[in-house]
Amino acid sequence: MAMGPVWRLLLLVTCAYAQCRRFPAIREFDINSYLGRWYLQYKFSNEVSVPLSQCWSWSYYKDINSKLKVQTTYVNSLTNRVTNHQSRVWMKNPTEPSLLRYNLNYFLYNRNEDYQVIATDYANFTVEYQCSGTNVLNKRETVWLLTREQHPHPFTLERAFSALLQLGMDRVDLDREYQDCRPQNILNRFDGPTFLEWLVGRRTSRSDGPTFLEWLVGRRTSRSDGPTFLQWLTGGASDRIDRQMRGKSLSGFLAWMGL
């Protein structure tokens, strides 16, 4: 049975979508100029992910053995905790230096992933591309647009989008990435100890008064201006008992009590 025009069109669209995009390698790619920190500004991915991480950045560097590595950094949107992860990076082919491969080793997940720098001016922006799979069901495609500045000038983003346009990626639906994390400032908002610190008696530089345990057992500190719990409970009798007990043995205390 002959295939109708609608099915042919659907087949062509499906085959086109299943294929990864092909970009020419940057022959003059300079990895030394590429080193340093990049902040993720826009991202496209056809994979569904839970948005629990934000403020992504990665830093390319060379270790003491001149091995190329990348450190990815992100902030957990729930706990505000900063997480760093290091991976080894190397060129797949010296004649195509912008085609890179990195080792992803995370818990039980250990494999090599390929990606490509498709556009960069080294000083302001870069665009990285990753794609794998042979059909619609297993195709994984990701585009990252990064800048040197965490909050780039609009002109920088305009140049990056112009580069995407020249590469034929004007129809890629890029999502804006959050880059306003300030995890160090969140801790500074708390001037006193946390509830657990106060409850268990942990001393911190932020605690100006006695802890709960100090207040409960009547321990006097230079920071405690008010009465302790025992003083408040006995109406000050604990101070009188303390003065009478100083220097007395157990038998002396029993005699003082009339027992």
Side-chain angles (χ1 to χ4, degrees):
M1 183 175 63
M3 183 179 296
V6 176
W7 287 105
R8 290 180 181 177
L9 179 61
L10 181 60
L11 180 61
L12 291 175
V13 171
T14 303
C15 293
Y17 181 79
Q19 295 178 354
C20 290
R21 306 168 198 263
R22 302 298 178 184
F23 301 100
I26 304 175
R27 302 290 181 179
E28 301 81 15
F29 181 72
D30 184 6
I31 191 62
N32 292 319
S33 299
Y34 200 72
L35 300 179
R37 191 168 190 177
W38 297 94
Y39 294 92
L40 181 62
Q41 303 296 339
Y42 287 89
K43 177 184 177 181
F44 163 79
S45 180
N46 66 342
E47 294 184 285
V48 179
S49 60
V50 180
L52 294 180
S53 57
Q54 56 191 12
C55 297
W56 280 86
S57 68
W58 34 96
S59 302
Y60 289 91
Y61 66 97
K62 290 185 177 180
D63 62 13
I64 57 176
N65 298 318
S66 298
K67 299 295 184 180
L68 182 63
K69 292 186 176 181
V70 60
Q71 174 177 286
T72 54
T73 303
Y74 66 89
V75 178
N76 188 294
S77 58
L78 296 180
T79 64
N80 208 57
R81 180 181 177 181
V82 178
T83 300
N84 299 308
H85 184 72
Q86 288 82 25
S87 301
R88 188 167 62 93
V89 182
W90 63 96
M91 298 179 185
K92 293 179 59 178
N93 188 343
T95 61
E96 297 177 323
S98 62
L99 276 63
L100 303 173
R101 174 173 290 176
Y102 69 99
N103 176 255
L104 187 60
N105 188 355
Y106 190 73
F107 291 108
L108 300 178
Y109 187 84
N110 188 354
R111 60 177 295 176
N112 296 330
E113 298 277 356
D114 296 337
Y115 69 106
Q116 180 181 0
V117 179
I118 59 177
T120 185
D121 66 352
Y122 302 103
N124 300 288
F125 76 91
T126 186
V127 180
E128 297 179 349
Y129 177 77
Q130 182 181 52
C131 187
S132 63
T134 57
N135 55 61
V136 177
L137 297 179
N138 66 1
K139 179 183 178 182
R140 297 168 54 241
E141 186 178 34
T142 307
V143 180
W144 299 280
L145 192 158
L146 307 99
T147 60
R148 288 293 191 185
E149 300 293 333
Q150 188 173 11
H151 303 284
H153 192 277
F155 179 70
T156 299
L157 296 177
E158 183 180 346
R159 292 186 59 187
F161 286 125
S162 297
L164 287 173
L165 183 62
Q166 294 177 5
L167 292 169
M169 302 186 68
D170 52 305
R171 297 188 178 219
V172 175
D173 188 13
L174 294 171
D175 293 324
R176 190 73 162 93
E177 293 294 312
Y178 187 77
Q179 279 292 350
D180 287 330
C181 302
R182 293 179 178 85
Q184 67 278 8
N185 293 339
I186 291 181
L187 292 178
N188 294 337
R189 292 186 309 193
F190 299 96
D191 298 327
T194 64
F195 172 75
L196 287 179
E197 290 174 342
W198 174 77
L199 184 62
V200 303
R202 179 181 176 185
R203 182 66 56 211
T204 66
S205 59
R206 303 187 302 261
S207 55
D208 298 326
T211 64
F212 173 75
L213 291 179
E214 290 176 342
W215 175 76
L216 183 62
V217 302
R219 179 181 175 185
R220 178 67 61 190
T221 65
S222 60
R223 296 175 300 276
S224 55
D225 299 327
T228 65
F229 174 74
L230 289 178
Q231 291 173 342
W232 171 80
L233 185 65
T234 61
S238 60
D239 277 352
R240 295 192 297 272
I241 294 175
D242 181 65
R243 288 194 297 270
Q244 293 290 340
M245 272 298 299
R246 289 176 184 172
K248 287 185 170 61
S249 62
L250 177 60
S251 59
F253 171 71
L254 295 177
W256 173 74
M257 291 289 293
L259 300 176

